Amino acid sequence: MGQTRIAAVAAHFGRDLDFDLQRIATLIDHARSSGAALLVLPDAALGGYLADLRHPDPDALPPALDPDCAELKTISSLAAEMVVCVGYCEADGPRRYNSAVCVTGDGVLGRHRKVHQPPGESAAYDAGDRFAAFDTPVGRLGMLIDYDKTFPESARSLAIDGADIVACLSAWPTSITNRAPRMAQDRQSRLFDLYDQARAAENQVVLVSSNQTGAMGGMRFLGQAKVVGPGGEILARTWSKAGIAVAELDIGQEIANARRVLHHLGERKPSVYREA
């Protein structure tokens, strides 16, 4: 496919859907002007994330949107030729899911419902039950939503399903129980980067990590959007501030180079691994 520009967003999103859509439109414009073919927006970019992860207020949850809602159709239209991943709260009858959707101007390419839930989130959302990759104009792609990437099996499932690109959409906060005085010193800041690099390197795939910034209630988000190469190297990043991390690479060639000597997926020993 040759060189592809990939963009990961760090930005703040809240409950005001009109404001969120305006911000998304601006980010898509900026990404397009930089030549990006893939843009990964944060988790909960439509409607914001929870304000309290330990005890979510049932009267202050993000707005639950139908998978065919006007807001997602607008984002699809704005995306046009680009591939755009975005997170939102999905309504499925009385159930709510922390979800992500991948679109172009032609419509929906893939969907994901967050599988792994930190304590407290299950009071606000139901859990998804699968990981699946899908084809896009920039290559085969799979999505994870924040806590999913803590578990190696999540990204590995996508890689086994043929994903060359893993998009990790996050609303990842600083430590709730032991917040550091400076964000760069926070335990969760270190883990956020560690998981991104490990998931890319162990599967030898390109990982695109977005995240929220700013605050929502008692939650303060880390930012730290980045693009990680298949050797685990950070190719572009935003640090803790809002912005867009953009990297250009030949995805297929970079993956082939990473797997030339050591091919992790091909050298697995599934027969000796414990499943439970």
Side-chain angles (χ1 to χ4, degrees):
M1 292 182 61
Q3 297 290 313
T4 300
R5 285 204 168 194
I6 297 173
V9 169
H12 177 69
F13 297 90
R15 296 286 184 264
D16 187 332
L17 292 175
D18 289 336
F19 174 86
D20 294 339
L21 280 172
Q22 290 174 2
R23 174 155 287 177
I24 288 169
T26 299
L27 289 165
I28 289 175
D29 283 345
H30 288 171
R32 180 173 285 114
S33 67
S34 74
L38 169 64
L39 176 67
V40 179
L41 295 157
D43 175 28
L46 281 174
Y49 189 57
L50 303 177
D52 186 336
L53 191 55
R54 287 176 289 186
H55 304 289
D57 182 352
D59 296 322
L61 298 178
L65 304 174
D66 187 272
D68 295 319
C69 67
E71 289 82 2
L72 290 175
K73 289 180 179 177
T74 296
I75 294 172
S76 177
S77 178
L78 291 168
E81 82 291 350
M82 291 174 59
V83 177
V84 176
C85 300
V86 60
Y88 73 110
C89 175
E90 176 191 349
D92 184 5
R95 298 189 174 194
R96 303 162 62 95
Y97 294 92
N98 190 349
S99 294
V101 63
C102 182
V103 300
T104 67
D106 292 329
V108 174
L109 302 176
R111 300 182 184 273
H112 174 62
R113 290 171 170 175
K114 183 176 178 180
V115 173
H116 299 98
Q117 298 176 306
E121 193 178 272
S122 59
Y125 300 108
D126 284 274
D129 59 6
R130 65 178 61 89
F131 296 99
F134 48 90
D135 294 324
T136 80
V138 296
R140 194 158 174 83
L141 185 148
M143 295 186 290
L144 304 176
I145 298 177
D146 45 45
Y147 196 45
D148 282 336
K149 71 180 175 185
T150 304
F151 301 85
E153 298 86 352
S154 304
R156 176 56 51 86
S157 296
L158 294 175
I160 291 172
D161 198 22
D164 294 322
I165 306 166
V166 174
C168 295
L169 295 77
S170 292
W172 195 290
T174 57
S175 176
I176 296 172
T177 57
N178 189 25
R179 182 175 293 175
R182 295 181 64 247
M183 193 175 291
Q185 300 171 335
D186 194 273
R187 173 177 178 270
Q188 290 300 326
S189 177
R190 177 179 62 85
L191 289 174
F192 188 79
D193 283 350
L194 176 65
Y195 294 143
D196 284 340
Q197 292 179 266
R199 298 296 88 88
E202 66 198 7
N203 294 295
Q204 298 170 305
V205 297
V206 175
L207 186 139
V208 192
S209 175
S210 61
N211 196 19
Q212 294 243 13
T213 60
M216 173 72 74
M219 308 277 279
R220 183 176 61 158
F221 301 106
L222 290 169
Q224 297 180 202
K226 66 183 73 67
V227 180
V228 186
E233 67 281 12
I234 295 177
L235 304 177
R237 68 184 305 162
T238 65
W239 301 99
S240 61
K241 294 183 178 180
I244 307 178
V246 180
E248 184 175 51
L249 68 160
D250 185 323
I251 297 168
Q253 188 60 56
E254 290 294 329
I255 291 174
N257 290 344
R259 296 176 179 177
R260 179 170 293 124
V261 177
L262 299 175
H263 191 309
H264 299 167
L265 297 180
E267 292 154 2
R268 293 180 305 117
K269 303 285 186 179
S271 64
V272 304
Y273 303 148
R274 294 186 62 175
E275 296 184 0

